[in-house]
Amino acid sequence: MGSSEVSIIPGLQKEEKVAVERRRLHVLKALKKLHIEADEAPVVAVLGSGGGLRAHIACLGVLSEMKEQGLLDAVTYLAGVSGSTWAISSLYTNDGDMEALEADLRHRFSRQEWDLAKSLQKTIQAARSENYSLTDFWAYMVISKQTRELPESHLSNMKKPVEEGTLPYPIFAAIDNDLQPSWQEAKAQETWFEFTPHHAGFPALGAYVSITHFGSKFKKGRLVRTHPERDLSFLRGLWGSALGNAEVNRNYIFDQLRNLLTLRDVWRRTVANAKYIGRRIFAPLLRLQQSLQRERPVLEDEGGEPNYNWLTEMLENWTRTSLEKQEQPDEDPESKGSFSDFLDFVRKTGICASKWEWGTTHNFLYKHGGIRDKTMSSRRHLHLVDAGLAINTPFPLVLPPTREVHLILSFDFSAGDPFETIRATTDYCRRHKIPFPHVEEAKLDLWSKAPASCYILKGETGPVVMHFPLFNTDACGDDIEAWSDTYDTFKLADTYTLDVVRPLLALAKMNVRENKKKILREMRNAAMLYYPKVAQSCSLV
């Protein structure tokens, strides 16, 4: 769908249909290598949950081991939430080369380096946009530091291996934050938003726009202003914007802003004509504080009054900085942002933080006559955020019957109860009459106290679900709590050394390896159940 128009059609988009059909041929060859003969390939989906860097690293381990065991080639869909999206997107930017991907992971975490100047430059550039939000700051200043990479490629760059069928069809999850009240009240299906190498949109509405035009301005279904396709760094920030709770995220953002005050070398490499920058910026920041007071921010202190302590501290830091001369050479000013750009970035970030504005983008359904729900067509903007704020794994994106998924491998990397995603999905499916295996609450409670490495959930209809908790008694013994503490969701990237990364990677791989026979058995069962006349096993597992 390279069209400049909005597409509203039931079922799969044409490009996805073609890619999935081509993928079937590769899946059949993979099944044959796994000693499963079938004339028709069952549709297998692999899901990765959220969980920050823990999910990123563990999901890479899962994908690597599935590739090693010949299982990944039998998968039709790969879908992720939050940290898992970082791993899944890396698979495609490395053309499916898991050895190169692991080598890159080791390289990134063998050094305590992060190109702050480049990240800041990208953020300042993003702040020139009318739709700048905290997601831009989060993407370039936080997620890039967490993952120690700043990919500049695009989702549309992933089309070639997907269209050839050599890699599974990827789906990246987000939710429409403006619809959170509807989600809390009725688990509204319209809340969910998806990204693929071809499109972005609302699957419940069958409403999509070409991925190259995501972020562009539409009215009445027509493109009225084109904006460049957002890079993968930004999208990773959007998909992974719920690493901690709101208070943790807010404090982290403000700390990052304050830290910028003392980094003179970064200014010199990022801002042109960076002379006496401390003296020049104090007055504008004072005006920023005054303008924020007029903005009536929604974030308030315990007494119900707007809290500007963070900005007061910032101004105090700038006052101290301004007492020092910071004359620097004006080298290569063409490659740097202007001083006013830097000020505009600080101002916009402060205002967005005070409003707590995330994921702002043009609503491609604005004034669209084909949408009955005025909630969807009356808004000029969407605010897209981490899908983990709804369900921390992308079940809702692979359960629609149009995708015909027969077997789901759900890898859970979330913190706390490893069955919370199963509970939440069960509730979601019950409300919308979607087939999903039912498990008694008492049984889930029992499992969560000492989780095993694999659970096979089956209902009367619908897909079979294999659920794999990352930290389990089979791999971790009695040390599950210690593992969880070591790999806390908001664990700072600076503490992730190779000695920390390697055990987590190995654990995720072992969970796949030790359950290979079970996975093969369910793949075989799916082939025989859905295509009984043409599927047979060459060997028993």
Side-chain angles (χ1 to χ4, degrees):
M1 185 176 63
S3 170
S4 60
E5 297 182 5
V6 174
S7 169
I8 301 182
I9 59 172
L12 300 182
Q13 297 293 301
K14 181 181 67 175
E15 292 83 358
E16 180 179 343
K17 282 183 182 179
V18 173
V20 168
E21 188 59 37
R22 287 180 180 161
R23 179 65 179 170
R24 289 183 192 276
L25 301 177
H26 290 267
V27 170
L28 285 171
K29 292 179 182 178
L31 291 176
K32 189 171 184 178
K33 290 180 180 179
L34 295 168
H35 308 294
I36 300 173
E37 289 288 347
D39 290 338
E40 293 291 336
V43 178
V44 180
V46 169
L47 312 188
S49 80
L53 268 182
R54 177 186 61 248
H56 172 51
I57 295 166
C59 189
L60 283 176
V62 166
L63 296 176
S64 179
E65 191 63 25
M66 288 195 71
K67 182 72 173 179
E68 177 70 20
Q69 299 295 333
L71 298 171
L72 189 62
D73 291 331
V75 171
T76 300
Y77 286 106
L78 274 181
V81 163
S82 198
S84 285
T85 64
W86 310 340
I88 293 172
S89 58
S90 293
L91 174 69
Y92 294 84
T93 56
N94 283 273
D95 296 320
D97 187 339
M98 293 308 307
E99 289 187 8
L101 194 52
E102 284 200 48
D104 177 65
L105 180 72
R106 289 191 296 270
H107 173 72
R108 283 187 280 132
F109 287 93
S110 64
R111 54 194 177 93
Q112 296 292 327
E113 295 179 13
W114 171 49
D115 193 341
L116 173 56
K118 186 175 180 181
S119 292
L120 180 58
Q121 189 175 44
K122 293 283 288 185
T123 315
I124 293 172
Q125 290 173 355
R128 296 170 187 162
S129 166
E130 61 181 301
N131 288 335
Y132 177 79
S133 73
L134 290 180
T135 300
D136 296 273
F137 184 93
W138 192 255
Y140 299 119
M141 298 297 292
V142 179
I143 300 303
S144 70
K145 183 177 182 181
Q146 290 289 96
T147 61
R148 302 179 193 179
E149 57 182 344
L150 197 66
E152 298 184 48
S153 59
H154 304 93
L155 266 184
S156 61
N157 298 143
M158 301 179 185
K159 286 180 181 179
K160 188 173 185 292
V162 170
E163 291 176 348
E164 292 174 349
T166 56
L167 288 176
Y169 199 84
I171 306 170
F172 304 93
I175 60 170
D176 185 341
N177 201 42
D178 295 334
L179 300 184
Q180 274 282 24
S182 297
W183 174 260
Q184 296 300 329
E185 180 181 347
K187 306 304 177 191
Q189 292 175 286
E190 294 81 4
T191 308
W192 285 78
F193 195 96
E194 70 180 27
F195 296 82
T196 79
H198 295 109
H199 64 254
F202 296 94
L205 299 175
Y208 298 98
V209 68
S210 169
I211 190 63
T212 56
H213 289 138
F214 171 74
S216 292
K217 192 171 184 177
F218 286 79
K219 187 175 182 180
K220 297 182 179 181
R222 294 283 184 172
L223 180 66
V224 296
R225 187 191 305 163
T226 301
H227 292 285
E229 181 180 355
R230 297 309 304 261
D231 63 28
L232 205 51
S233 288
F234 170 81
L235 292 177
R236 285 181 171 188
L238 189 155
W239 302 329
S241 53
L243 298 186
N245 60 36
E247 187 62 24
V248 171
N249 286 359
R250 184 167 70 99
N251 290 338
Y252 194 89
I253 289 170
F254 291 155
D255 285 343
Q256 287 288 84
L257 279 174
R258 281 191 290 262
N259 289 341
L260 290 176
L261 310 176
T262 58
L263 302 175
R264 306 171 198 166
D265 182 59
V266 174
W267 295 339
R268 186 172 70 251
R269 287 186 287 152
T270 309
V271 182
N273 302 314
K275 293 181 180 180
Y276 304 99
I277 194 167
R279 295 181 181 179
R280 294 174 63 189
I281 204 168
F282 177 75
L285 275 175
L286 187 59
R287 291 195 295 273
L288 167 61
Q289 184 181 37
Q290 294 168 347
S291 68
L292 281 177
Q293 290 171 338
R294 293 193 297 269
E295 290 285 344
R296 298 181 180 178
V298 295
L299 293 179
E300 300 176 341
D301 63 18
E302 294 179 358
E305 294 298 323
N307 188 336
Y308 295 103
N309 291 339
W310 68 273
L311 190 52
T312 301
E313 294 174 18
M314 178 184 279
L315 287 169
E316 289 174 353
N317 283 338
W318 276 111
T319 305
R320 287 193 293 270
T321 306
S322 68
L323 297 177
E324 304 177 16
K325 278 191 176 182
Q326 296 178 47
E327 186 170 357
Q328 304 292 353
D330 299 336
E331 53 188 54
D332 194 18
E334 294 298 322
S335 66
K336 306 173 185 179
S338 69
F339 185 74
S340 62
D341 286 338
F342 180 77
L343 287 182
D344 195 47
F345 146 69
V346 175
R347 181 185 64 82
K348 282 189 172 181
T349 304
I351 291 173
C352 287
S354 71
K355 293 179 176 180
W356 207 235
E357 182 178 350
W358 291 80
T360 306
T361 188
H362 288 298
N363 180 12
F364 62 89
L365 295 178
Y366 180 59
K367 298 287 188 182
H368 196 293
I371 299 295
R372 295 181 181 179
D373 188 347
K374 297 305 178 185
T375 303
M376 306 302 294
S377 61
S378 62
R379 293 176 292 157
R380 291 180 179 272
H381 296 94
L382 303 175
H383 295 93
L384 302 175
V385 295
D386 193 321
L389 295 170
I391 300 177
N392 201 31
T393 206
F395 277 115
L397 299 184
V398 299
L399 288 171
T402 53
R403 285 196 163 124
E404 300 180 326
V405 174
H406 305 131
L407 175 63
I408 297 175
L409 309 186
S410 165
F411 291 91
D412 194 283
F413 314 121
S414 53
D417 182 0
F419 299 98
E420 179 56 34
T421 53
I422 298 296
R423 298 175 203 268
T425 305
T426 299
D427 180 40
Y428 171 83
C429 291
R430 177 185 58 81
R431 290 171 182 260
H432 300 292
K433 296 181 173 55
I434 299 172
F436 190 77
H438 176 74
V439 184
E440 295 294 333
E441 191 70 25
K443 185 175 287 188
L444 291 174
D445 288 340
L446 181 63
W447 290 349
S448 65
K449 292 177 181 178
S453 61
C454 177
Y455 294 84
I456 301 174
L457 314 179
K458 298 182 179 183
E460 294 182 4
T461 60
V464 172
V465 175
M466 300 186 73
H467 193 65
F468 305 87
L470 174 61
F471 301 132
N472 56 76
T473 54
D474 297 331
C476 306
D478 297 327
D479 297 326
I480 290 178
E481 187 175 350
W483 277 87
S484 298
D485 291 343
T486 300
Y487 297 99
D488 183 69
T489 302
F490 208 74
K491 185 181 178 72
L492 295 179
D494 294 345
T495 64
Y496 267 89
T497 62
L498 269 183
D499 291 337
V500 176
V501 169
R502 285 195 182 105
L504 183 58
L505 198 65
L507 177 70
K509 289 183 177 185
M510 183 172 70
N511 285 343
V512 173
R513 191 166 56 250
E514 294 301 311
N515 288 293
K516 179 182 178 180
K517 288 184 178 180
K518 294 179 181 178
I519 295 172
L520 285 176
R521 185 182 67 210
E522 294 307 321
M523 284 184 174
R524 178 175 297 108
N525 289 344
M528 295 182 69
L529 177 62
Y530 291 98
Y531 309 107
K533 295 182 181 180
V534 295
Q536 61 177 333
S537 171
C538 287
S539 64
L540 295 178
V541 178

